[in-house]
């Protein structure tokens, strides 16, 4: 997984969530970033939001992915 995907994923997170994800092993960060990209690609609601605000869509998808990590 290219580092830019992980970095983009981290940038989309809130500061608290970003710090928590950074504490995870690199493989887990890459897995989460891949899940984030899948969420962005497959969720039609996010596609609509992305047309209005790409940053908001990325943040929402990142929040959903990390929420699963904390549960």
């Amino acid at each position: 997984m290219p580092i830019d995907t992980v970095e983009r994923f981290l940038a989309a997170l809130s500061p608290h969530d970003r710090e928590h994800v950074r504490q995870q092993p690199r493989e887990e960060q890459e897995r989460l970033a891949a899940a984030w990209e899948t969420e962005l690609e497959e969720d039609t609601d996010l596609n609509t939001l992305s047309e209005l605000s790409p940053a908001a869509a990325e943040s929402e998808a990142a929040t959903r992915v990390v929420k699963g990590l904390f549960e």
Side-chain angles (χ1 to χ4, degrees):
M1 167 113 358
I3 192 164
D4 61 314
T5 302
V6 173
E7 291 304 317
R8 284 183 46 233
F9 169 63
L10 289 170
L13 291 168
S14 70
H16 177 265
D17 290 344
R18 184 179 311 122
E19 192 55 40
H20 183 76
V21 171
R22 280 192 174 135
Q23 294 174 5
Q24 302 303 308
R26 180 66 186 181
E27 295 79 23
E28 180 66 4
Q29 291 179 30
E30 290 173 354
R31 186 189 71 75
L32 292 168
W36 172 69
E37 282 196 323
T38 300
E39 184 79 16
L40 283 170
E41 291 171 4
E42 294 181 356
D43 190 303
T44 56
D45 290 336
L46 288 176
N47 288 336
T48 302
L49 178 58
S50 146
E51 292 176 15
L52 300 171
S53 175
E58 289 183 353
S59 180
E60 176 62 26
T63 299
R64 291 178 188 180
V65 168
V66 172
K67 181 179 178 184
L69 179 66
F70 294 133
E71 293 179 341

